Amino acid sequence: MKILLINPPHLSIGSRMPNDHLPPLGLLSIGGPLLDEGHEVKLLDADYSFMKHSKIVSEVVLFNPDLVLMGHSGSTSAQPIINELSVLIKEKVSHVKIIIGGVFPTYHWKEILEENPLIDYIVCGEGEKIIVNLVNALSNKVDLKEIKGIVFRNNTEILKTPPESIIKDLEEFRIGWELMEGYNYTYWGQRKAVVIQFSRGCPYPCSYCGQSLFWKKWRHRNPQKLADEIEMLHKRYGIEVINFADENPATYKKAWQEFLEALIEKDLNLTLVGSLRADNIVRDADIMHLYKKAGFERFLLGIENYDETVLERIKKAGSTTMDKEAIQVLRKHDIISMATYVVGFGEETTKDFINSLKQLLDYDPDQIQLLYVTPHKWTPYFDEVKDKKIIQLDQRKWDYKHQILETKLKPWQIILYVKLIEVIMQTRPKALKRLFFHRDKKIRKAMSWYTRIGKRVWIHEWLQFLFNDKHTKKSIQLSEFWK
């Protein structure tokens, strides 16, 4: 079958503000198995150039596929765009079948198919095995009731089949890297880059996060095979930067250390960036030199909150003491620490924001990123706040960079405090000293790149708030919004 994978254009700051774009790992991950099954597969990365809807439809008409598969890493905020595209595509290519997947469709399948009759099938859960089975069933006209992990219309009934079992061996399906050809994916300052995973899932039950729910179980790739794949990407495609999509790649220390050592053995001179829990960093203090030698230059740390009571309530399973120690461990080995701090877990007051700033100054991270809590329906946190009122009805802005929940403080006060904290943290003497005089030239360059983007984002967020964000004055509960 002819299959077109579409990465829809996205409004998020991460997609629009940098001059860098990373390949859509999710689509490449299902593209590889489909290619290996003998299907003709093409990637249309409409997010890469913020392609207009009319141009996307023209590309669909030109390729004339049997199937269009759409998905985006920001699946909640991308879904309205997918809905718009499905209408326009079916108007011009009525025979095409549209399949979507991702986290949001996995949990909102019923609402999506009830509201959008032009979407034909939804893949629920991790998609490699399911999409191969679904496409082969469509090709061979097999009864779809036999295919696990999908949702479709059976006459007038919306039918959801039993879930497919998780992929135990992450080497079973390959990533279709060849689908990147034609795109110049870059990151970390216009350097050729890809996104990759060492593991899937997370063993921690943080109430606001859906990682453990979506992936079901933490699993990791074969350390040596992943190192071999990275070597192939470096030599065949000229990749210099590897961005790890994992939430917790170092969960199993033995396997993670094997990977670091295998990569070091190859001596590829790469730059690696990723996310890591503070407790894993502290645990690995004795092998942090291997992290640095393998090429790691930055880790994102989910600090979330300064209040131990809040951390306990959201089941973060961390501590402020551990967070601070992790930053010190990274600094000792010349690895950038980026602390993400989440606003909105409670009814924050001006005093709370002052305390947050004091705590962040005490942590002394190299970089800071403030986010807004986003109450996704599939997370346990949703049940805690489902009776709260919301101020943002535009689903396209449910992207962690816009305030969603109503608070006692006015929205203008919230963004004022958030932006002030960012300015203070990034312009304090310690931060400026590291920015201009850090002993590691590569680290100076990386921090300078991020600072330039940060300035643009800071201004953009203010302009968005002042001229584009429309906050509802209606009294709408969160639970009512998702009905």
Side-chain angles (χ1 to χ4, degrees):
M1 301 188 83
K2 289 185 71 175
I3 302 170
L4 184 62
L5 309 176
I6 299 180
N7 188 30
H10 200 238
L11 299 176
S12 74
I13 286 171
S15 288
R16 301 278 63 86
M17 294 307 294
N19 292 321
D20 294 297
H21 287 275
L22 289 162
L25 179 62
L27 292 176
L28 298 182
S29 295
I30 63 173
L34 290 171
L35 286 167
D36 291 346
E37 285 290 309
H39 300 289
E40 183 181 352
V41 184
K42 179 182 178 181
L43 172 66
L44 177 62
D45 192 346
D47 198 34
Y48 180 82
S49 58
F50 201 45
M51 192 176 288
K52 292 183 178 179
H53 287 17
S54 58
K55 175 63 174 174
I56 296 171
V57 175
S58 296
E59 292 293 326
V60 175
V61 172
L62 184 64
F63 188 63
N64 192 28
D66 301 301
L67 303 173
V68 164
L69 278 57
M70 286 192 279
H72 194 284
S73 57
S75 62
T76 298
S77 45
Q79 187 59 45
I81 300 166
I82 288 174
N83 288 335
E84 294 168 2
L85 288 173
S86 64
V87 173
L88 297 172
I89 289 170
K90 283 289 183 89
E91 283 180 354
K92 295 292 185 180
V93 193
S94 59
H95 71 271
V96 75
K97 298 296 183 184
I98 295 178
I99 305 173
I100 68 169
V103 180
F104 183 84
T106 293
Y107 296 100
H108 287 261
W109 53 268
K110 191 171 187 291
E111 301 99 302
I112 291 173
L113 289 191
E114 283 179 344
E115 296 171 7
N116 191 341
L118 300 178
I119 292 175
D120 297 288
Y121 311 101
I122 294 177
V123 171
C124 296
E126 55 187 339
E128 291 94 333
K129 184 176 181 180
I130 299 171
I131 196 64
V132 166
N133 292 339
L134 173 57
V135 172
N136 287 343
L138 292 171
S139 180
N140 298 318
K141 295 182 171 53
V142 173
D143 186 357
L144 295 183
K145 294 178 185 177
E146 303 299 318
I147 308 303
K148 292 182 179 180
I150 63 170
V151 184
F152 64 100
R153 293 182 188 82
N154 186 33
N155 296 321
T156 58
E157 177 189 14
I158 294 177
L159 182 64
K160 186 178 190 292
T161 64
E164 181 60 84
S165 57
I166 65 169
I167 300 171
K168 295 180 180 179
D169 180 8
L170 296 183
E171 306 303 329
E172 182 179 354
F173 300 101
R174 73 174 184 88
I175 301 169
W177 296 115
E178 62 267 44
L179 295 170
M180 296 190 301
E181 293 178 1
Y183 297 97
N184 183 33
Y185 291 112
T186 61
Y187 189 55
W188 216 243
Q190 294 291 295
R191 296 169 64 193
K192 297 196 76 172
V194 295
V195 185
I196 210 162
Q197 281 181 315
F198 175 72
S199 64
R200 287 183 178 179
C202 179
Y204 297 92
C206 303
S207 66
Y208 56 89
C209 177
Q211 283 287 322
S212 60
L213 299 172
F214 182 79
W215 297 113
K216 308 299 183 188
K217 182 181 179 181
W218 189 87
R219 297 146 282 156
H220 68 83
R221 290 194 57 182
N222 179 290
Q224 184 61 55
K225 289 183 178 179
L226 180 58
D228 292 342
E229 187 166 351
I230 289 174
E231 181 180 36
M232 178 277 294
L233 289 168
H234 177 66
K235 292 182 176 179
R236 184 180 301 176
Y237 296 101
I239 299 302
E240 299 177 85
V241 180
I242 307 291
N243 186 1
F244 283 80
D246 312 45
E247 293 293 319
N248 287 295
T251 294
Y252 180 31
K253 182 175 180 177
K254 183 176 181 294
W256 182 242
Q257 184 172 342
E258 287 177 8
F259 164 69
L260 294 174
E261 290 171 343
L263 197 58
I264 290 168
E265 183 70 23
K266 294 182 181 296
D267 192 25
L268 300 176
N269 191 29
L270 297 169
T271 292
L272 313 179
V273 295
S275 301
L276 211 58
R277 282 181 61 91
D279 49 5
N280 285 346
I281 291 172
V282 173
R283 180 203 68 190
D284 288 355
D286 62 321
I287 63 166
M288 196 54 60
H289 63 286
L290 297 180
Y291 283 68
K292 182 65 177 180
K293 196 171 182 181
F296 274 104
E297 289 190 17
R298 186 191 75 189
F299 276 112
L300 184 150
L301 306 173
I303 301 299
E304 315 327 349
N305 204 277
Y306 77 90
D307 191 329
E308 296 281 3
T309 304
V310 172
L311 293 174
E312 184 177 350
R313 178 168 60 84
I314 63 178
K315 296 181 173 61
K316 175 65 179 176
S319 70
T320 54
T321 302
M322 189 77 73
D323 292 337
K324 184 176 180 180
E325 186 177 353
I327 291 169
Q328 292 170 345
V329 169
L330 292 178
R331 180 158 297 133
K332 180 181 177 182
H333 291 86
D334 292 335
I335 299 175
I336 298 170
S337 58
M338 174 187 275
T340 61
Y341 195 84
V342 182
V343 174
F345 278 124
E347 284 290 356
E348 287 137 326
T349 63
T350 299
K351 183 179 179 181
D352 289 318
F353 277 99
I354 292 171
N355 287 336
S356 295
L357 175 59
K358 288 180 179 178
Q359 186 69 54
L360 288 168
L361 287 169
D362 185 52
Y363 283 153
D364 191 28
D366 297 308
Q367 298 170 344
I368 185 73
Q369 185 177 164
L370 268 69
L371 306 173
Y372 298 90
V373 64
T374 302
H376 294 296
K377 189 178 178 181
W378 57 84
T379 63
Y381 181 71
F382 178 86
D383 289 328
E384 295 181 29
V385 296
K386 63 183 179 182
D387 295 329
K388 285 197 170 187
K389 295 181 177 61
I390 61 173
I391 64 171
Q392 183 54 259
L393 302 182
D394 187 348
Q395 189 180 330
R396 295 173 301 172
K397 294 182 178 179
W398 284 53
D399 60 359
Y400 302 99
K401 296 299 287 182
H402 293 84
Q403 182 184 348
I404 306 299
L405 295 173
E406 182 183 66
T407 58
K408 290 180 180 178
L409 293 175
K410 300 295 184 184
W412 70 264
Q413 291 174 296
I414 298 290
I415 192 171
L416 176 63
Y417 292 152
V418 165
K419 296 294 112 184
L420 277 175
I421 289 173
E422 289 177 344
V423 167
I424 292 169
M425 289 299 300
Q426 295 300 144
T427 60
R428 70 196 193 282
K430 286 183 180 179
L432 293 175
K433 182 180 178 181
R434 288 192 286 266
L435 174 63
F436 294 113
F437 304 108
H438 196 284
R439 61 186 178 184
D440 188 323
K441 183 179 179 181
K442 290 178 69 177
I443 297 301
R444 288 202 308 272
K445 186 175 180 180
M447 288 198 289
S448 177
W449 169 76
Y450 181 76
T451 300
R452 289 195 300 272
I453 293 175
K455 289 178 183 177
R456 293 168 55 209
V457 168
W458 196 90
I459 295 170
H460 178 79
E461 286 189 278
W462 265 119
L463 292 175
Q464 281 253 312
F465 178 82
L466 293 172
F467 301 110
N468 291 330
D469 285 356
K470 296 179 180 178
H471 297 135
T472 181
K473 295 181 180 179
K474 297 179 182 179
S475 181
I476 299 177
Q477 286 185 331
L478 176 62
S479 56
E480 187 64 27
F481 174 76
W482 286 123
K483 284 183 180 179

